[in-house]
Amino acid sequence: MEDRLGKEKALLRALYDEILKSEESKDEGMKQLVEDSKLLSAPDEIAEANIRVMFTKYLSHPPSLQKYVKDPKMKAKVIEKRKEAPLLSAHKFWSKQPVMQFDNLDKGDLPIGPIKEVTSKDFPPGPYPLPEDLEWCSIDVNTEKFVEAYELMRDFFIEDYDSGFRMNYSIDYLRWEFNIPGYYPEYSFGIRVKATKELIAFAGGIPAVASVCGSVFELAVGNYTAIKKAHRSRRLTPLVIMEILRRMHLRGAHQFFMSTNRVIYLPFSEMWFYRRALDYRKMLDLELVSVPEGSSVDKEEELHKITESALIPGMRLMAKEDVPQVHALLTEYLKKFTIHAVHTEEQTAHLLLPREEIVYTYVVADANNKITDFVSFTVVYYSVLKHPTIKQIKVALRSS
């Protein structure tokens, strides 16, 4: 492993050297690359994840770097250097799945469409076999049984790279997500230990419709999966993913969407979060922000402060009667993107009508109550795992 990681680190350094010699090396994209290059000195236990992230950034994202990918001479140098050292060893599970692989980068433009055509008949009618001591179970999100699944998510869901923060959705937030109109109860399930009935894994899928390059199709979104750490060495994650895929394929949804904070295969798409510290001193204490050179804590706190009242005339909370107008605005806006969700009016109402401590939507209406704009955000929490006094962060996550 050390020899392979050493070669990959050397390859990244060579790629950085090529870019930093170019005329455009002083733009913002290059500044970010220089910052990323500091991760090359990371210990080997996290180096592989860092290398995946950096290669993906360099070769495909963000837009500020795409000019380097499109430059034929630069891309030829990348491919040539990639031949000198393999990018990463194949992932045991994802390298065999119909997802974009890293070597697709060397193949030029691929045809638009499904990577693999399948039908419901290609999947077994019953669940996949588990180890002898385990069993599948149904999880109804609207009963007390879901409390177990929530607690599992709270304690074993997504963490950052150094395990300092963990996403902690409230139980009401999760029920809101899963109860979107069109939800299928069989998309929520778990794994229990037969002898004790202990819940050790949970997966929740959400049905959706998407438009990709003009083609509209059903899919399932699988962003809620948690497995107790003591059982992860048993390779239950692939089984859970295969099971949710089996259930969605039987429903006629033959595409699957999931997001990760680690690059385990070539991303189909990528999103970026822009952070504004509303409690600047708290974020500084957690080392989530730093004081820029030439500034001070007081100056940054004043800069990040929000006003007591809305700055836009006509801005108010969304109401039920606003749904048709907001749905029309959202539908038209999403058409600007090559990849976007397709919602019914009922789903728009579910996703955007304000719910305390879950979702807030504000509209801008003129004197005739015609809505011209809207913005929404959801309320999510992060558990703080390594701070002596701060145990939780409350985040307003902008969603539209």
Side-chain angles (χ1 to χ4, degrees), residues 105-138:
L105 290 167
D106 298 340
K107 296 178 180 178
D109 293 335
L110 297 174
I112 295 173
I115 296 172
K116 182 181 179 181
E117 294 280 2
V118 296
T119 68
S120 300
K121 295 179 181 179
D122 297 321
F123 296 86
Y128 289 104
L130 285 169
E132 193 62 34
D133 61 322
L134 304 178
E135 62 185 6
W136 297 106
C137 66
S138 298

PDB file of all heavy atoms in Angstrom, residues 105-138:
ATOM      1  N   LEU A 105     -12.208   8.771 -17.677  1.00  0.00           N
ATOM      2  CA  LEU A 105     -11.619  10.071 -18.002  1.00  0.00           C
ATOM      3  C   LEU A 105     -10.711   9.997 -19.214  1.00  0.00           C
ATOM      4  O   LEU A 105     -10.513  10.975 -19.923  1.00  0.00           O
ATOM      5  CB  LEU A 105     -10.817  10.591 -16.806  1.00  0.00           C
ATOM      6  CG  LEU A 105     -11.644  11.032 -15.589  1.00  0.00           C
ATOM      7  CD1 LEU A 105     -10.743  11.221 -14.394  1.00  0.00           C
ATOM      8  CD2 LEU A 105     -12.398  12.314 -15.890  1.00  0.00           C
ATOM      9  N   ASP A 106     -10.135   8.823 -19.472  1.00  0.00           N
ATOM     10  CA  ASP A 106      -9.217   8.659 -20.594  1.00  0.00           C
ATOM     11  C   ASP A 106      -9.925   8.286 -21.891  1.00  0.00           C
ATOM     12  O   ASP A 106      -9.284   8.167 -22.930  1.00  0.00           O
ATOM     13  CB  ASP A 106      -8.189   7.569 -20.265  1.00  0.00           C
ATOM     14  CG  ASP A 106      -7.349   7.935 -19.054  1.00  0.00           C
ATOM     15  OD1 ASP A 106      -7.301   9.137 -18.725  1.00  0.00           O
ATOM     16  OD2 ASP A 106      -6.759   7.026 -18.444  1.00  0.00           O
ATOM     17  N   LYS A 107     -11.245   8.082 -21.836  1.00  0.00           N
ATOM     18  CA  LYS A 107     -11.962   7.539 -22.995  1.00  0.00           C
ATOM     19  C   LYS A 107     -12.684   8.598 -23.815  1.00  0.00           C
ATOM     20  O   LYS A 107     -13.409   8.273 -24.755  1.00  0.00           O
ATOM     21  CB  LYS A 107     -12.958   6.473 -22.532  1.00  0.00           C
ATOM     22  CG  LYS A 107     -12.282   5.266 -21.893  1.00  0.00           C
ATOM     23  CD  LYS A 107     -13.308   4.252 -21.389  1.00  0.00           C
ATOM     24  CE  LYS A 107     -12.622   3.053 -20.744  1.00  0.00           C
ATOM     25  NZ  LYS A 107     -13.597   2.077 -20.210  1.00  0.00           N
ATOM     26  N   GLY A 108     -12.518   9.861 -23.426  1.00  0.00           N
ATOM     27  CA  GLY A 108     -13.191  10.915 -24.178  1.00  0.00           C
ATOM     28  C   GLY A 108     -14.684  10.956 -23.862  1.00  0.00           C
ATOM     29  O   GLY A 108     -15.150  10.415 -22.858  1.00  0.00           O
ATOM     30  N   ASP A 109     -15.455  11.593 -24.711  1.00  0.00           N
ATOM     31  CA  ASP A 109     -16.898  11.709 -24.509  1.00  0.00           C
ATOM     32  C   ASP A 109     -17.576  10.361 -24.683  1.00  0.00           C
ATOM     33  O   ASP A 109     -17.374   9.668 -25.683  1.00  0.00           O
ATOM     34  CB  ASP A 109     -17.490  12.714 -25.501  1.00  0.00           C
ATOM     35  CG  ASP A 109     -17.004  14.134 -25.221  1.00  0.00           C
ATOM     36  OD1 ASP A 109     -16.650  14.396 -24.055  1.00  0.00           O
ATOM     37  OD2 ASP A 109     -16.973  14.946 -26.153  1.00  0.00           O
ATOM     38  N   LEU A 110     -18.383   9.979 -23.708  1.00  0.00           N
ATOM     39  CA  LEU A 110     -19.122   8.730 -23.758  1.00  0.00           C
ATOM     40  C   LEU A 110     -20.551   9.010 -24.231  1.00  0.00           C
ATOM     41  O   LEU A 110     -21.070  10.109 -24.063  1.00  0.00           O
ATOM     42  CB  LEU A 110     -19.145   8.078 -22.378  1.00  0.00           C
ATOM     43  CG  LEU A 110     -17.772   7.676 -21.814  1.00  0.00           C
ATOM     44  CD1 LEU A 110     -17.927   7.180 -20.382  1.00  0.00           C
ATOM     45  CD2 LEU A 110     -17.126   6.614 -22.678  1.00  0.00           C
ATOM     46  N   PRO A 111     -21.232   8.009 -24.805  1.00  0.00           N
ATOM     47  CA  PRO A 111     -22.620   8.226 -25.243  1.00  0.00           C
ATOM     48  C   PRO A 111     -23.530   8.538 -24.068  1.00  0.00           C
ATOM     49  O   PRO A 111     -23.364   7.983 -22.976  1.00  0.00           O
ATOM     50  CB  PRO A 111     -22.984   6.884 -25.901  1.00  0.00           C
ATOM     51  CG  PRO A 111     -22.022   5.893 -25.338  1.00  0.00           C
ATOM     52  CD  PRO A 111     -20.761   6.652 -25.096  1.00  0.00           C
ATOM     53  N   ILE A 112     -24.483   9.431 -24.292  1.00  0.00           N
ATOM     54  CA  ILE A 112     -25.427   9.809 -23.244  1.00  0.00           C
ATOM     55  C   ILE A 112     -26.490   8.726 -23.119  1.00  0.00           C
ATOM     56  O   ILE A 112     -27.065   8.280 -24.111  1.00  0.00           O
ATOM     57  CB  ILE A 112     -26.082  11.161 -23.565  1.00  0.00           C
ATOM     58  CG1 ILE A 112     -25.011  12.263 -23.554  1.00  0.00           C
ATOM     59  CG2 ILE A 112     -27.190  11.480 -22.570  1.00  0.00           C
ATOM     60  CD1 ILE A 112     -25.516  13.609 -24.016  1.00  0.00           C
ATOM     61  N   GLY A 113     -26.744   8.283 -21.900  1.00  0.00           N
ATOM     62  CA  GLY A 113     -27.756   7.261 -21.667  1.00  0.00           C
ATOM     63  C   GLY A 113     -27.349   6.356 -20.518  1.00  0.00           C
ATOM     64  O   GLY A 113     -26.294   6.543 -19.902  1.00  0.00           O
ATOM     65  N   PRO A 114     -28.185   5.380 -20.194  1.00  0.00           N
ATOM     66  CA  PRO A 114     -27.876   4.455 -19.098  1.00  0.00           C
ATOM     67  C   PRO A 114     -26.566   3.716 -19.347  1.00  0.00           C
ATOM     68  O   PRO A 114     -26.271   3.322 -20.482  1.00  0.00           O
ATOM     69  CB  PRO A 114     -29.064   3.481 -19.096  1.00  0.00           C
ATOM     70  CG  PRO A 114     -30.169   4.213 -19.797  1.00  0.00           C
ATOM     71  CD  PRO A 114     -29.497   5.077 -20.816  1.00  0.00           C
ATOM     72  N   ILE A 115     -25.774   3.518 -18.307  1.00  0.00           N
ATOM     73  CA  ILE A 115     -24.529   2.763 -18.423  1.00  0.00           C
ATOM     74  C   ILE A 115     -24.846   1.293 -18.681  1.00  0.00           C
ATOM     75  O   ILE A 115     -24.142   0.611 -19.421  1.00  0.00           O
ATOM     76  CB  ILE A 115     -23.684   2.924 -17.144  1.00  0.00           C
ATOM     77  CG1 ILE A 115     -23.265   4.391 -16.990  1.00  0.00           C
ATOM     78  CG2 ILE A 115     -22.445   2.022 -17.173  1.00  0.00           C
ATOM     79  CD1 ILE A 115     -22.583   4.705 -15.681  1.00  0.00           C
ATOM     80  N   LYS A 116     -25.944   0.838 -18.089  1.00  0.00           N
ATOM     81  CA  LYS A 116     -26.372  -0.546 -18.264  1.00  0.00           C
ATOM     82  C   LYS A 116     -27.892  -0.598 -18.304  1.00  0.00           C
ATOM     83  O   LYS A 116     -28.559  -0.054 -17.432  1.00  0.00           O
ATOM     84  CB  LYS A 116     -25.839  -1.412 -17.112  1.00  0.00           C
ATOM     85  CG  LYS A 116     -26.195  -2.876 -17.215  1.00  0.00           C
ATOM     86  CD  LYS A 116     -25.652  -3.646 -16.007  1.00  0.00           C
ATOM     87  CE  LYS A 116     -26.021  -5.121 -16.064  1.00  0.00           C
ATOM     88  NZ  LYS A 116     -25.516  -5.858 -14.868  1.00  0.00           N
ATOM     89  N   GLU A 117     -28.445  -1.215 -19.327  1.00  0.00           N
ATOM     90  CA  GLU A 117     -29.898  -1.358 -19.442  1.00  0.00           C
ATOM     91  C   GLU A 117     -30.355  -2.570 -18.627  1.00  0.00           C
ATOM     92  O   GLU A 117     -29.826  -3.667 -18.776  1.00  0.00           O
ATOM     93  CB  GLU A 117     -30.297  -1.544 -20.904  1.00  0.00           C
ATOM     94  CG  GLU A 117     -30.035  -0.327 -21.786  1.00  0.00           C
ATOM     95  CD  GLU A 117     -31.104   0.741 -21.661  1.00  0.00           C
ATOM     96  OE1 GLU A 117     -32.046   0.554 -20.849  1.00  0.00           O
ATOM     97  OE2 GLU A 117     -31.013   1.764 -22.364  1.00  0.00           O
ATOM     98  N   VAL A 118     -31.323  -2.369 -17.730  1.00  0.00           N
ATOM     99  CA  VAL A 118     -31.856  -3.468 -16.934  1.00  0.00           C
ATOM    100  C   VAL A 118     -33.382  -3.364 -16.879  1.00  0.00           C
ATOM    101  O   VAL A 118     -33.959  -2.324 -17.185  1.00  0.00           O
ATOM    102  CB  VAL A 118     -31.291  -3.456 -15.494  1.00  0.00           C
ATOM    103  CG1 VAL A 118     -29.796  -3.696 -15.487  1.00  0.00           C
ATOM    104  CG2 VAL A 118     -31.637  -2.143 -14.790  1.00  0.00           C
ATOM    105  N   THR A 119     -34.033  -4.456 -16.476  1.00  0.00           N
ATOM    106  CA  THR A 119     -35.479  -4.473 -16.248  1.00  0.00           C
ATOM    107  C   THR A 119     -35.726  -5.095 -14.880  1.00  0.00           C
ATOM    108  O   THR A 119     -34.809  -5.654 -14.253  1.00  0.00           O
ATOM    109  CB  THR A 119     -36.209  -5.297 -17.320  1.00  0.00           C
ATOM    110  OG1 THR A 119     -35.866  -6.687 -17.152  1.00  0.00           O
ATOM    111  CG2 THR A 119     -35.831  -4.845 -18.724  1.00  0.00           C
ATOM    112  N   SER A 120     -36.953  -5.035 -14.425  1.00  0.00           N
ATOM    113  CA  SER A 120     -37.311  -5.612 -13.124  1.00  0.00           C
ATOM    114  C   SER A 120     -37.043  -7.111 -13.084  1.00  0.00           C
ATOM    115  O   SER A 120     -36.753  -7.688 -12.032  1.00  0.00           O
ATOM    116  CB  SER A 120     -38.783  -5.334 -12.823  1.00  0.00           C
ATOM    117  OG  SER A 120     -39.023  -3.939 -12.784  1.00  0.00           O
ATOM    118  N   LYS A 121     -37.104  -7.778 -14.250  1.00  0.00           N
ATOM    119  CA  LYS A 121     -36.893  -9.225 -14.303  1.00  0.00           C
ATOM    120  C   LYS A 121     -35.447  -9.630 -14.011  1.00  0.00           C
ATOM    121  O   LYS A 121     -35.171 -10.803 -13.761  1.00  0.00           O
ATOM    122  CB  LYS A 121     -37.300  -9.742 -15.680  1.00  0.00           C
ATOM    123  CG  LYS A 121     -38.795  -9.597 -15.977  1.00  0.00           C
ATOM    124  CD  LYS A 121     -39.129 -10.097 -17.367  1.00  0.00           C
ATOM    125  CE  LYS A 121     -40.616  -9.925 -17.664  1.00  0.00           C
ATOM    126  NZ  LYS A 121     -40.967 -10.378 -19.035  1.00  0.00           N
ATOM    127  N   ASP A 122     -34.540  -8.655 -14.042  1.00  0.00           N
ATOM    128  CA  ASP A 122     -33.128  -8.955 -13.782  1.00  0.00           C
ATOM    129  C   ASP A 122     -32.813  -9.071 -12.291  1.00  0.00           C
ATOM    130  O   ASP A 122     -31.660  -9.326 -11.912  1.00  0.00           O
ATOM    131  CB  ASP A 122     -32.222  -7.879 -14.397  1.00  0.00           C
ATOM    132  CG  ASP A 122     -32.333  -7.833 -15.917  1.00  0.00           C
ATOM    133  OD1 ASP A 122     -32.423  -8.919 -16.521  1.00  0.00           O
ATOM    134  OD2 ASP A 122     -32.354  -6.725 -16.484  1.00  0.00           O
ATOM    135  N   PHE A 123     -33.812  -8.873 -11.429  1.00  0.00           N
ATOM    136  CA  PHE A 123     -33.572  -8.849  -9.992  1.00  0.00           C
ATOM    137  C   PHE A 123     -34.475  -9.851  -9.280  1.00  0.00           C
ATOM    138  O   PHE A 123     -35.623 -10.061  -9.672  1.00  0.00           O
ATOM    139  CB  PHE A 123     -33.802  -7.433  -9.457  1.00  0.00           C
ATOM    140  CG  PHE A 123     -32.829  -6.448 -10.025  1.00  0.00           C
ATOM    141  CD1 PHE A 123     -33.081  -5.829 -11.245  1.00  0.00           C
ATOM    142  CD2 PHE A 123     -31.642  -6.175  -9.374  1.00  0.00           C
ATOM    143  CE1 PHE A 123     -32.174  -4.946 -11.795  1.00  0.00           C
ATOM    144  CE2 PHE A 123     -30.725  -5.295  -9.921  1.00  0.00           C
ATOM    145  CZ  PHE A 123     -30.982  -4.677 -11.128  1.00  0.00           C
ATOM    146  N   PRO A 124     -33.963 -10.484  -8.217  1.00  0.00           N
ATOM    147  CA  PRO A 124     -34.761 -11.493  -7.502  1.00  0.00           C
ATOM    148  C   PRO A 124     -35.964 -10.875  -6.813  1.00  0.00           C
ATOM    149  O   PRO A 124     -35.896  -9.743  -6.332  1.00  0.00           O
ATOM    150  CB  PRO A 124     -33.763 -12.063  -6.494  1.00  0.00           C
ATOM    151  CG  PRO A 124     -32.736 -10.994  -6.311  1.00  0.00           C
ATOM    152  CD  PRO A 124     -32.634 -10.301  -7.639  1.00  0.00           C
ATOM    153  N   PRO A 125     -37.075 -11.635  -6.728  1.00  0.00           N
ATOM    154  CA  PRO A 125     -38.271 -11.092  -6.065  1.00  0.00           C
ATOM    155  C   PRO A 125     -38.129 -10.985  -4.560  1.00  0.00           C
ATOM    156  O   PRO A 125     -38.845 -10.214  -3.912  1.00  0.00           O
ATOM    157  CB  PRO A 125     -39.358 -12.105  -6.442  1.00  0.00           C
ATOM    158  CG  PRO A 125     -38.612 -13.372  -6.717  1.00  0.00           C
ATOM    159  CD  PRO A 125     -37.304 -12.954  -7.311  1.00  0.00           C
ATOM    160  N   GLY A 126     -37.202 -11.750  -3.982  1.00  0.00           N
ATOM    161  CA  GLY A 126     -36.999 -11.732  -2.538  1.00  0.00           C
ATOM    162  C   GLY A 126     -35.666 -11.126  -2.161  1.00  0.00           C
ATOM    163  O   GLY A 126     -34.794 -10.919  -3.019  1.00  0.00           O
ATOM    164  N   PRO A 127     -35.447 -10.827  -0.871  1.00  0.00           N
ATOM    165  CA  PRO A 127     -34.223 -10.142  -0.440  1.00  0.00           C
ATOM    166  C   PRO A 127     -32.968 -10.985  -0.619  1.00  0.00           C
ATOM    167  O   PRO A 127     -33.022 -12.212  -0.669  1.00  0.00           O
ATOM    168  CB  PRO A 127     -34.475  -9.854   1.042  1.00  0.00           C
ATOM    169  CG  PRO A 127     -35.503 -10.843   1.458  1.00  0.00           C
ATOM    170  CD  PRO A 127     -36.363 -11.068   0.262  1.00  0.00           C
ATOM    171  N   TYR A 128     -31.831 -10.306  -0.699  1.00  0.00           N
ATOM    172  CA  TYR A 128     -30.546 -10.986  -0.819  1.00  0.00           C
ATOM    173  C   TYR A 128     -30.207 -11.695   0.497  1.00  0.00           C
ATOM    174  O   TYR A 128     -30.601 -11.233   1.578  1.00  0.00           O
ATOM    175  CB  TYR A 128     -29.445  -9.985  -1.172  1.00  0.00           C
ATOM    176  CG  TYR A 128     -29.531  -9.463  -2.586  1.00  0.00           C
ATOM    177  CD1 TYR A 128     -30.004  -8.176  -2.855  1.00  0.00           C
ATOM    178  CD2 TYR A 128     -29.149 -10.262  -3.654  1.00  0.00           C
ATOM    179  CE1 TYR A 128     -30.081  -7.696  -4.156  1.00  0.00           C
ATOM    180  CE2 TYR A 128     -29.225  -9.786  -4.966  1.00  0.00           C
ATOM    181  CZ  TYR A 128     -29.694  -8.507  -5.206  1.00  0.00           C
ATOM    182  OH  TYR A 128     -29.781  -8.042  -6.501  1.00  0.00           O
ATOM    183  N   PRO A 129     -29.487 -12.811   0.428  1.00  0.00           N
ATOM    184  CA  PRO A 129     -29.134 -13.539   1.659  1.00  0.00           C
ATOM    185  C   PRO A 129     -28.155 -12.754   2.529  1.00  0.00           C
ATOM    186  O   PRO A 129     -27.275 -12.062   2.029  1.00  0.00           O
ATOM    187  CB  PRO A 129     -28.501 -14.835   1.141  1.00  0.00           C
ATOM    188  CG  PRO A 129     -28.054 -14.521  -0.252  1.00  0.00           C
ATOM    189  CD  PRO A 129     -29.014 -13.513  -0.782  1.00  0.00           C
ATOM    190  N   LEU A 130     -28.340 -12.896   3.843  1.00  0.00           N
ATOM    191  CA  LEU A 130     -27.485 -12.256   4.828  1.00  0.00           C
ATOM    192  C   LEU A 130     -26.686 -13.328   5.572  1.00  0.00           C
ATOM    193  O   LEU A 130     -27.010 -14.521   5.493  1.00  0.00           O
ATOM    194  CB  LEU A 130     -28.330 -11.476   5.848  1.00  0.00           C
ATOM    195  CG  LEU A 130     -28.940 -10.158   5.397  1.00  0.00           C
ATOM    196  CD1 LEU A 130     -29.950  -9.665   6.433  1.00  0.00           C
ATOM    197  CD2 LEU A 130     -27.871  -9.095   5.181  1.00  0.00           C
ATOM    198  N   PRO A 131     -25.653 -12.937   6.328  1.00  0.00           N
ATOM    199  CA  PRO A 131     -24.997 -13.908   7.215  1.00  0.00           C
ATOM    200  C   PRO A 131     -26.026 -14.578   8.130  1.00  0.00           C
ATOM    201  O   PRO A 131     -27.055 -13.978   8.474  1.00  0.00           O
ATOM    202  CB  PRO A 131     -24.016 -13.033   8.008  1.00  0.00           C
ATOM    203  CG  PRO A 131     -23.696 -11.905   7.084  1.00  0.00           C
ATOM    204  CD  PRO A 131     -24.969 -11.639   6.336  1.00  0.00           C
ATOM    205  N   GLU A 132     -25.753 -15.798   8.545  1.00  0.00           N
ATOM    206  CA  GLU A 132     -26.719 -16.642   9.250  1.00  0.00           C
ATOM    207  C   GLU A 132     -27.316 -15.988  10.493  1.00  0.00           C
ATOM    208  O   GLU A 132     -28.480 -16.215  10.832  1.00  0.00           O
ATOM    209  CB  GLU A 132     -26.041 -17.970   9.644  1.00  0.00           C
ATOM    210  CG  GLU A 132     -27.000 -19.053  10.097  1.00  0.00           C
ATOM    211  CD  GLU A 132     -27.984 -19.470   9.003  1.00  0.00           C
ATOM    212  OE1 GLU A 132     -27.600 -19.454   7.813  1.00  0.00           O
ATOM    213  OE2 GLU A 132     -29.132 -19.811   9.344  1.00  0.00           O
ATOM    214  N   ASP A 133     -26.547 -15.136  11.171  1.00  0.00           N
ATOM    215  CA  ASP A 133     -27.014 -14.559  12.440  1.00  0.00           C
ATOM    216  C   ASP A 133     -27.791 -13.258  12.271  1.00  0.00           C
ATOM    217  O   ASP A 133     -28.210 -12.654  13.257  1.00  0.00           O
ATOM    218  CB  ASP A 133     -25.831 -14.314  13.375  1.00  0.00           C
ATOM    219  CG  ASP A 133     -24.822 -13.336  12.773  1.00  0.00           C
ATOM    220  OD1 ASP A 133     -24.600 -13.397  11.546  1.00  0.00           O
ATOM    221  OD2 ASP A 133     -24.271 -12.507  13.536  1.00  0.00           O
ATOM    222  N   LEU A 134     -28.003 -12.839  11.024  1.00  0.00           N
ATOM    223  CA  LEU A 134     -28.685 -11.572  10.758  1.00  0.00           C
ATOM    224  C   LEU A 134     -29.960 -11.777   9.963  1.00  0.00           C
ATOM    225  O   LEU A 134     -30.135 -12.798   9.296  1.00  0.00           O
ATOM    226  CB  LEU A 134     -27.751 -10.622  10.000  1.00  0.00           C
ATOM    227  CG  LEU A 134     -26.397 -10.313  10.634  1.00  0.00           C
ATOM    228  CD1 LEU A 134     -25.580  -9.399   9.724  1.00  0.00           C
ATOM    229  CD2 LEU A 134     -26.555  -9.694  12.014  1.00  0.00           C
ATOM    230  N   GLU A 135     -30.861 -10.763  10.008  1.00  0.00           N
ATOM    231  CA  GLU A 135     -32.115 -10.832   9.255  1.00  0.00           C
ATOM    232  C   GLU A 135     -32.549  -9.438   8.824  1.00  0.00           C
ATOM    233  O   GLU A 135     -32.262  -8.448   9.491  1.00  0.00           O
ATOM    234  CB  GLU A 135     -33.212 -11.481  10.101  1.00  0.00           C
ATOM    235  CG  GLU A 135     -33.556 -10.703  11.375  1.00  0.00           C
ATOM    236  CD  GLU A 135     -34.566 -11.431  12.256  1.00  0.00           C
ATOM    237  OE1 GLU A 135     -34.908 -12.579  11.924  1.00  0.00           O
ATOM    238  OE2 GLU A 135     -34.992 -10.844  13.269  1.00  0.00           O
ATOM    239  N   TRP A 136     -33.237  -9.376   7.679  1.00  0.00           N
ATOM    240  CA  TRP A 136     -33.809  -8.124   7.211  1.00  0.00           C
ATOM    241  C   TRP A 136     -35.042  -7.786   8.040  1.00  0.00           C
ATOM    242  O   TRP A 136     -35.715  -8.679   8.553  1.00  0.00           O
ATOM    243  CB  TRP A 136     -34.220  -8.220   5.746  1.00  0.00           C
ATOM    244  CG  TRP A 136     -33.097  -8.470   4.794  1.00  0.00           C
ATOM    245  CD1 TRP A 136     -32.815  -9.637   4.141  1.00  0.00           C
ATOM    246  CD2 TRP A 136     -32.101  -7.533   4.362  1.00  0.00           C
ATOM    247  NE1 TRP A 136     -31.712  -9.495   3.340  1.00  0.00           N
ATOM    248  CE2 TRP A 136     -31.247  -8.212   3.450  1.00  0.00           C
ATOM    249  CE3 TRP A 136     -31.834  -6.199   4.656  1.00  0.00           C
ATOM    250  CZ2 TRP A 136     -30.167  -7.597   2.841  1.00  0.00           C
ATOM    251  CZ3 TRP A 136     -30.753  -5.584   4.041  1.00  0.00           C
ATOM    252  CH2 TRP A 136     -29.937  -6.273   3.146  1.00  0.00           C
ATOM    253  N   CYS A 137     -35.360  -6.509   8.161  1.00  0.00           N
ATOM    254  CA  CYS A 137     -36.583  -6.094   8.850  1.00  0.00           C
ATOM    255  C   CYS A 137     -37.142  -4.844   8.183  1.00  0.00           C
ATOM    256  O   CYS A 137     -36.414  -4.075   7.549  1.00  0.00           O
ATOM    257  CB  CYS A 137     -36.319  -5.824  10.329  1.00  0.00           C
ATOM    258  SG  CYS A 137     -35.223  -4.410  10.645  1.00  0.00           S
ATOM    259  N   SER A 138     -38.452  -4.669   8.288  1.00  0.00           N
ATOM    260  CA  SER A 138     -39.109  -3.465   7.764  1.00  0.00           C
ATOM    261  C   SER A 138     -39.050  -2.370   8.824  1.00  0.00           C
ATOM    262  O   SER A 138     -39.128  -2.644  10.025  1.00  0.00           O
ATOM    263  CB  SER A 138     -40.560  -3.759   7.402  1.00  0.00           C
ATOM    264  OG  SER A 138     -40.624  -4.732   6.380  1.00  0.00           O
TER     265      SER A 138
END
